[in-house]
Amino acid sequence: MLYLGSHVSLKAPDYFLGSIKEALSYGANACMIYTGPPSNTRRVDISKMKVQEAKSLMEESGMKMENIIVHAPYIINLANSMNPDTAKFGAEFLAQELKRVSYLGASYLVLHPGSHVKAGAEVGLQWIIDGLNEVLDQDDSNVCIALETMAGKGSECGRNFEELAIIKAGVHQSNRIGFCMDTCHIHDAGYDLTNFDSVLDEFDRILGLDSLKVLHINDSKNPIGAHKDRHENLGKGYIGFDILAQIVHHPRLDNITKILETPYIDGKAPYKEEIEQLRAIKP
């Protein structure tokens, strides 16, 4: 079954109900939301989110809760040993986010691992491990944190599968750690998507394919290995539509939720058209 959707908004007055309506308007059977603005701490009380109304609409339309993905805000940086207050704030906010995700009934929270801010990858990875342990050891939900593959921009941690494996190995509740593969990010990190079966084999060997929970489907504005992280619309970038369609329809990824994060075009979301294009491909 192809579970395909996009990032959608969550805003007043309908909040989560509005998110589901937007996803359905794109012909999607999955979607990804933030529980509030991704770059600040402003959050509406979860009781105002119209969760039950959203779930009723999902039941009518056949959309499943396991295909609703939540993305953590970018302000969380557990790796920042250079400013421990920032890392401490990140852990505290992540703990709150897990409670919001659990209330919504979603299963996965996608998280950027963090930036070591020139302290070095080894230090940054250990701080991420410590932060995740601090949060998960006190959290009683079943929400899985899906660490996202990163492009290696600046001092990002998680720029390759090996770094992500180090994080998972250090987390006490490693069963609560999964992964989100972003096609733009791994292309920009240097993985050759023209030989995607080999990339999947490498992922499986290092992280385990059963730990892959979410796919972000994006083209890239930059050539392979650029370490830039600039998303492009499907078929407009260096990865190309055919390769992305092959990934979306790959039989080893059949039941994994796939989310588009491509840029708006002239102020308009391109998701309806891009979802139609991908669904039109016959595997």
Side-chain angles (χ1 to χ4, degrees):
M1 180 71 176
L2 177 59
Y3 298 108
L4 180 62
S6 69
H7 168 253
V8 293
S9 61
L10 185 143
K11 59 187 179 182
D14 282 343
Y15 296 105
F16 189 36
L17 174 61
S19 300
I20 301 304
K21 288 179 178 178
E22 182 180 346
L24 292 172
S25 76
Y26 299 147
N29 60 354
C31 68
M32 185 176 74
I33 63 170
Y34 294 86
T35 66
S39 299
N40 64 53
T41 60
R42 292 197 301 273
R43 294 293 182 271
V44 173
D45 190 281
I46 198 74
S47 64
K48 299 179 180 179
M49 292 287 186
K50 297 191 177 181
V51 174
Q52 293 309 314
E53 294 96 324
K55 289 182 177 179
S56 295
L57 179 57
M58 289 170 61
E59 188 173 352
E60 292 171 14
S61 63
M63 191 180 288
K64 299 178 182 179
M65 200 65 213
E66 54 261 39
N67 304 119
I68 308 300
I69 309 299
V70 182
H71 200 302
Y74 305 133
I75 52 175
I76 294 175
N77 184 9
L78 302 178
N80 192 350
S81 65
M82 305 296 282
N83 188 342
D85 287 343
T86 297
K88 182 175 184 293
F89 160 79
E92 292 171 349
F93 204 75
L94 178 58
Q96 296 172 27
E97 281 290 284
L98 285 171
K99 288 181 172 58
R100 284 188 280 267
V101 175
S102 181
Y103 183 91
L104 288 172
S107 299
Y108 303 114
L109 176 65
V110 174
L111 175 69
H112 289 187
S115 172
H116 60 73
V117 200
K118 299 183 179 179
E122 185 176 351
V123 173
L125 292 171
Q126 188 57 56
W127 273 67
I128 294 168
I129 291 168
D130 292 343
L132 288 172
N133 281 329
E134 177 186 340
V135 172
L136 291 177
D137 286 351
Q138 300 179 54
D139 181 74
D140 59 1
S141 76
N142 294 315
V143 176
C144 173
I145 294 177
L147 298 174
E148 187 165 344
T149 57
M150 303 308 293
K153 179 177 64 177
S155 55
E156 285 178 338
C157 296
R159 64 181 61 207
N160 54 48
F161 301 157
E162 288 82 1
E163 287 190 354
L164 293 172
I166 289 170
I167 297 172
K168 181 165 184 172
V171 174
H172 303 153
Q173 297 189 52
S174 59
N175 62 307
R176 297 276 305 278
I177 300 296
F179 302 101
C180 169
M181 180 188 289
D182 185 302
T183 56
C184 171
H185 292 180
I186 61 173
H187 164 87
D188 280 27
Y191 290 91
D192 182 7
L193 299 188
T194 63
N195 193 1
F196 185 67
D197 281 319
S198 292
V199 174
L200 265 191
D201 288 341
E202 185 174 353
F203 185 98
D204 192 23
R205 176 175 58 83
I206 296 170
L207 296 170
L209 199 55
D210 60 345
S211 67
L212 182 57
K213 307 301 183 183
V214 187
L215 280 160
H216 285 171
I217 305 298
N218 303 296
D219 214 325
S220 174
K221 291 182 182 290
N222 294 282
I224 184 171
H227 303 295
K228 294 288 188 182
D229 183 13
R230 296 182 65 216
H231 296 185
E232 182 56 284
N233 294 98
L234 304 189
K236 305 296 184 182
Y238 280 85
I239 300 175
F241 180 83
D242 290 345
I243 291 174
L244 292 168
Q246 177 191 17
I247 293 171
V248 166
H249 291 282
H250 199 289
R252 293 169 71 184
L253 306 175
D254 188 40
N255 290 313
I256 297 175
T257 303
K258 300 164 182 80
I259 299 294
L260 299 169
E261 300 177 303
T262 50
Y264 276 35
I265 299 174
D266 297 326
K268 181 179 179 293
Y271 305 130
K272 186 176 189 297
E273 293 76 14
E274 290 184 337
I275 288 171
E276 286 176 351
Q277 290 171 347
L278 288 170
R279 288 196 181 280
I281 300 296
K282 302 300 180 185

